Structures are given as structure tokens and as C-alpha cells.
Amino acid sequence: MKMLNPRRARLERRMVGSTNRWRFPSKPFSGDLLGLSQRCKALSVDLEALKNPDRLCISQIQKIFSETSKNKPVQGREADVILECLGSRWELHQPQLFQSETLSKLYLMALAQSTKRPTKELESLLRAQLPGKIKERPPTKKMIISLKINDPVVTKVAFAMALKSLYLSQVEMNVDDVLAVLASAHVLQFSSLFQRCVAVMMKGLTPGTIKSFYLAGCKYKEEQLTTACEKWLEMNLVPLVGTQIHLRKIPQELLHRVLRSPRLFTFDEFHLLKTLLLWVFLQLNPKVQTVPVQETVLAFFTSFSRKNSFLDQDTGQSLVPLFLCLRLHGIIKGKNLEELRHINFFPESWLIRVTANHYHALESGGDMAHVKDLTTQAVRFGMLFNQEYTTHSEVIAIYGFFFEIKGVRHDTTSYSFYMQRVRHSDVVCEHGPVSLRAERLVKYEIRAQTLVDGQWQEFRTNQITQKFGFSKPSCKSHALKIHTVGLPIYASFSFIFPMS
């Protein structure tokens, strides 16, 4: 008689279902059918639902199969299933197959149709997952299942990568392949792979991928991806996408959402207007393959009938919601306003209202009686703080008041952004009005955003109302101090001149 190993694990009592069963602690469940039945009941697995696999809770069976490690070698093991799909035959194994809800349902349907006792077959299958039972598993006949894919995005190569991911937790995937792999994961209902694809896409947003990734997010109702696309475009519409031919691809619905966002970054309102005019130009000239100079765009709109503005004509009426998002009162320079009149793009009533608002503001010492809400109506300016900067500043002039917006890098991860009033005699500026008022009441907000490891960091001040004079400390705003490793930093300065 053999001596018992004193180090052998002792039996212990664990709760399985509604009764106690004796089991080995290292095993997920015992090999007897009663224990298996109780295990299935505890996990809400209805074995009788094999008669109607659509009623079967696949996720609960997947919990049982999760005990089998994903990277476990399968060399030397006969495949259990042959999948016919995309004109090819793929050999698969049961533990890996059950990571896909689609393949699980197809397999269980085939199991129910191929045997008179599908419940016993499934019980045998579950018991075969026990480590001690693998060698004892009797040879089984390969089951053939078929899957028809109607999604044209799915390619054979991408589908093969998706099936490979059933066996390996990390399969190399580049941005060029990820869209087709995402579609394959959606067809297979392979949730972990689908989320990995979403993560790759969120980190791979560029002017060339933003459209396809956004549309994929809409198609598969993946809000996390569509939100990431919107946030990325809010920062990069003007400084990056607006300088490339890829601007043409931006869907109007996405563009509208971005234009309405208070987080939208732009150097100033006229830069945003030029970007939007270029987008319209590219929609109406699909054969143009290079970004035209601004003069070409303006000449194109000037060529339209002078009887009505472009937005009043049939071609432009559908675009009115986009241009209503602009804050035309933020276009201050007379030169820029004259360009708008020359191209006859906006209705005359729009331009008259903007001009009247400027006139009344100048007449009242800068007070913006036409602007009430800082979040949606503020005049906005921005700067892109790049790696090569230690300091960066720009001077803006509005209604005779001059302000310097400035960014300072203190060390590798510490920055501050602020604005300060300066005298007109201290700056070089174009001919324009000069206010002699000693103080100017300003309501403002400073915001900074940057991308770190695929996630946007956002920093902002409160909405602050302050009187700006010429001497310290009243000449300087509150500073937005941030700590981040992200570059570039998109710094935005929004302000209005309330009634004094």
C-alpha cells in the first residue's frame, strides 16, 4: 500500500450552488455530474437551453472556460471545430472558441443538432477543462460550423488576426489593420479584442484616420471612441487638420459638434473662419488634391452671384448651422471684416450686426453690451506651446486695449499661463484705436489642454472678473499653473469686457 503524501492538499468544504460539496481547492469544480450541475446552477447556466441556444447565457459558460489559460499551448491537440468563413477553413479548439460569443452560439447550435443528448455532451465538455481530465478526454469528431460575414470592412487577414487573438493575449496590431480587426471583433463578439482595438485607435488619431475612426465609433456605438475623436479634433482642427487636404474628409455632423464645443482651440476667430471656409471649398471642389492658398479660396466664393450671399443660396443653406457656431464679433481687425464683405459669403444682416456691435463697443469705452455669456460668446485667442519654447507670448488688441498673452516653462514639467495689460507705446501694432482709460474691467478664463498617454489633461482657472490697470499687480491676470509631461500644450484665453 502506497503511503500518502503528507504535503498533499487537504480536502476542504466549499459552497457550490445551494449545497456543500467536497472538492480539491486547486480545481474549479469536481468531476462528478452532481457537482457540475450545481456549479452551472450557481452561474445561472441553463444546460437545457441548448435546445434554444439564443436563450443560453454564453457569458456564464465563458466564466467556466476562463479557468483554461489563454496562452496554454495547443500543439499536438486535435482541433475540435472547423470554422468555414470567408472562403477558408479554420481549425479551432473549444476553450479558445468560447471567448467569442458568436462562435459559442454557432458551436452550441451545431452541438444541439448533431446529437440526441446535447446536455450530456456539454457536461462532458465542461468536465474536460479540468487539468487532471485533459489526457482522459475521449477523441471527438470535429464539428463544422459556418459563419457568413456581410461587413465589407472585414478582410481575411484581419479575421485571421482576430482568430489568432483567441490563442494569444497580445497580437501585434498596427493602425493600418486596426479598423478591419475591430470589425472582425465585432462580428465575433470578441469583447476583449474589440476594446484593445478601440485603445489602439484612440492613440492613433491623425488627420488621415480621424474620419474612419469616428465613423467606426458611430457604426458600432462605441461612445468612448467617438468622444476621443471629438476631443482630438477640438484641439487639432485649426492648427493641424486645417492645414492639410484631410480636412475635406471631416463629416459635417462631427464638424458641427466640434464647433459648438467650448473647448475648441483656435489662434483667433478669423483663423477658425478661414479653416471653415477651406472646408466648404474642398467639399465643392472634390478634384482639388492640394491645399489652396487663401486667395484662391476667397476668389472662388467671390465668383458666385452677387444678388444673394453664399449662405442665402441653395448651395450654402445647409451650411448655415456651421457658421452660426462662429463668434463673428470676435473678428476685430478692419482688414479681416473687409475681406468678409468682399467675398459676399455672409448675409448682409449678419455683417451689419457685427459692425454695429463693434461701433457701440468703441463708443462706450470697450463695453461689450452684446456679449453676456463667457462660455459661449467670449472673444478667444490661443497659443500652441511647443517643446522648443521656454517663453512664448503674443500681443492682442481689442477696442483700443492691448494685452499680452504669455506662456512660461519653469522646468521640464512645470508651466504657467497668464495675460497682462500693456501700453500701446510698448508694442508694435497696426494702425487702430487706442484707449486712454486707466482701468478696464475684464471677465476671463484661461484653459490649457495636452495629451498624455492617449488621455487629455485639462487645466483651467475659474471665471474671474478683474480690473486691469497699467501697473503691478493690477496689470497681470491670475496665472494658470500646471504640471504635465504632455506637449504641445494648447493654451486658450477667453474674455469679455463687461459693462463698467
Side-chain angles (χ1 to χ4, degrees):
M1 188 174 71
K2 293 183 179 180
M3 292 183 62
L4 296 175
N5 187 344
R7 295 185 179 181
R8 185 175 179 179
R10 295 176 58 193
L11 290 171
E12 63 180 27
R13 187 174 294 276
R14 290 187 181 178
M15 182 65 73
V16 180
S18 58
T19 62
N20 287 332
R21 298 287 297 172
W22 285 101
R23 342 188 327 198
F24 292 102
S26 61
K27 304 293 181 65
F29 52 84
S30 60
D32 63 283
L33 295 182
L34 180 57
L36 174 63
S37 175
Q38 291 173 340
R39 168 78 168 179
C40 292
K41 287 179 181 178
L43 290 173
S44 302
V45 177
D46 181 10
L47 296 178
E48 294 300 323
L50 273 173
K51 299 174 183 177
N52 183 6
D54 287 334
R55 288 175 43 226
L56 194 61
C57 186
I58 301 298
S59 62
Q60 302 302 335
I61 294 182
Q62 288 174 328
K63 286 183 181 180
I64 298 177
F65 276 92
S66 66
E67 301 289 345
T68 303
S69 69
K70 190 172 188 179
N71 288 317
K72 188 172 183 177
V74 294
Q75 288 87 349
R77 283 180 49 192
E78 282 289 327
D80 307 296
V81 179
I82 295 177
L83 170 64
E84 295 180 340
C85 184
L86 298 175
S88 297
R89 292 163 65 91
W90 320 78
E91 293 190 339
L92 302 174
H93 298 80
Q94 290 164 342
Q96 286 73 26
L97 173 147
F98 272 92
Q99 294 175 75
S100 161
E101 187 169 334
T102 299
L103 297 183
S104 299
K105 288 182 178 179
L106 289 175
Y107 177 77
L108 293 174
M109 288 175 65
L111 183 66
Q113 295 171 1
S114 65
T115 178
K116 295 180 180 179
R117 304 178 66 189
T119 303
K120 295 294 183 181
E121 291 289 340
L122 182 57
E123 289 175 350
S124 176
L125 171 62
L126 295 177
R127 277 190 284 114
Q129 304 312 306
L130 290 171
K133 298 290 184 179
I134 292 178
K135 294 180 181 179
E136 303 172 11
R137 187 178 63 175
T140 58
K141 180 181 178 181
K142 289 183 182 179
M143 195 166 293
I144 299 177
I145 59 177
S146 298
L147 175 62
K148 184 178 181 181
I149 298 178
N150 297 319
D151 192 338
V153 179
V154 178
T155 65
K156 187 177 291 189
V157 172
F159 191 74
M161 291 179 65
L163 294 180
K164 185 178 180 180
S165 297
L166 294 171
Y167 292 82
L168 301 175
S169 58
Q170 294 296 329
V171 174
E172 289 189 14
M173 188 189 326
N174 58 47
V175 175
D176 295 333
D177 299 325
V178 69
L179 200 59
V181 177
L182 178 84
S184 301
H186 178 76
V187 168
L188 292 172
Q189 292 296 290
F190 188 179
S191 59
S192 61
L193 176 61
F194 188 89
Q195 291 305 318
R196 279 175 44 214
C197 291
V198 169
V200 171
M201 295 165 81
M202 289 171 61
K203 291 184 178 180
L205 289 170
T206 66
T209 62
I210 180 70
K211 176 188 175 181
S212 57
F213 287 4
Y214 175 76
L215 293 179
C218 294
K219 177 180 179 180
Y220 301 121
K221 296 180 174 58
E222 184 59 36
E223 186 176 350
Q224 183 183 12
L225 179 57
T226 56
T227 300
C229 292
E230 290 175 19
K231 287 186 176 181
W232 184 89
L233 194 58
E234 288 167 1
M235 295 298 101
N236 292 287
L237 174 63
V238 173
L240 182 60
V241 183
T243 65
Q244 301 185 22
I245 198 67
H246 296 295
L247 177 65
R248 168 189 284 135
K249 301 176 183 179
I250 304 300
Q252 182 172 339
E253 181 265 340
L254 172 59
L255 187 59
H256 189 216
R257 294 173 70 92
V258 168
L259 290 172
R260 293 173 58 190
S261 171
R263 295 183 298 270
L264 174 63
F265 174 85
T266 182
F267 299 112
D268 56 45
E269 205 67 29
F270 194 64
H271 268 88
L272 180 58
L273 172 61
K274 289 191 296 184
T275 301
L276 201 48
L277 289 175
L278 176 58
W279 180 85
V280 176
F281 174 87
L282 293 174
Q283 304 306 305
L284 300 177
N285 296 273
K287 293 183 179 180
V288 173
Q289 297 301 315
T290 57
V291 177
V293 296
Q294 183 184 355
E295 289 73 17
T296 302
V297 176
L298 297 179
F300 170 76
F301 292 113
T302 305
S303 66
F304 282 82
S305 172
R306 306 293 296 183
K307 293 181 180 180
N308 296 303
S309 69
F310 178 83
L311 292 181
D312 283 330
Q313 299 175 29
D314 293 341
T315 309
Q317 285 183 355
S318 64
L319 304 175
V320 169
L322 296 179
F323 288 90
L324 284 174
C325 297
L326 295 179
R327 306 173 188 181
L328 293 180
H329 59 271
I331 300 177
I332 307 295
K333 293 181 180 180
K335 174 187 173 182
N336 297 338
L337 291 170
E338 191 58 39
E339 285 186 358
L340 295 189
R341 293 189 184 91
H342 180 66
I343 63 175
N344 192 35
F345 188 88
F346 292 98
E348 185 67 21
S349 61
W350 292 26
L351 298 178
I352 290 175
R353 184 169 61 250
V354 171
T355 304
N357 288 337
H358 288 335
Y359 176 80
H360 291 306
L362 284 168
E363 194 177 46
S364 58
D367 292 352
M368 300 178 180
H370 55 283
V371 175
K372 304 296 182 184
D373 183 54
L374 182 68
T375 302
T376 60
Q377 297 178 302
V379 179
R380 48 192 173 183
F381 296 88
M383 67 165 60
L384 205 55
F385 202 93
N386 293 310
Q387 185 173 6
E388 63 268 20
Y389 294 148
T390 53
T391 62
H392 183 53
S393 65
E394 296 178 14
V395 174
I396 56 179
I398 178 168
Y399 301 144
F401 297 92
F402 297 84
F403 292 88
E404 179 185 33
I405 57 176
K406 192 169 186 177
V408 179
R409 183 174 66 192
H410 304 288
D411 55 45
T412 54
T413 60
S414 179
Y415 305 83
S416 62
F417 298 90
Y418 60 90
M419 56 187 286
Q420 60 185 5
R421 188 179 176 188
V422 295
R423 298 179 184 273
H424 73 279
S425 57
D426 296 335
V427 298
V428 178
C429 60
E430 299 177 0
H431 176 72
V434 175
S435 176
L436 300 179
R437 293 182 61 169
E439 292 183 328
R440 175 63 258 176
L441 187 65
V442 181
K443 186 175 183 179
Y444 65 91
E445 179 185 62
I446 304 173
R447 186 191 302 257
Q449 298 173 86
T450 188
L451 190 63
V452 178
D453 294 330
Q455 299 293 324
W456 285 100
Q457 292 182 344
E458 182 175 349
F459 311 88
R460 57 192 292 188
T461 64
N462 295 323
Q463 294 187 6
I464 302 169
T465 302
Q466 175 184 337
K467 283 186 177 180
F468 281 81
F470 287 115
S471 58
K472 294 181 179 180
S474 66
C475 68
K476 184 178 177 180
S477 74
H478 289 251
L480 174 63
K481 299 179 180 179
I482 69 173
H483 294 274
T484 182
V485 296
L487 282 171
I489 299 172
Y490 303 78
S492 299
F493 301 78
S494 304
F495 59 87
I496 61 176
F497 293 168
M499 301 290 287
S500 307

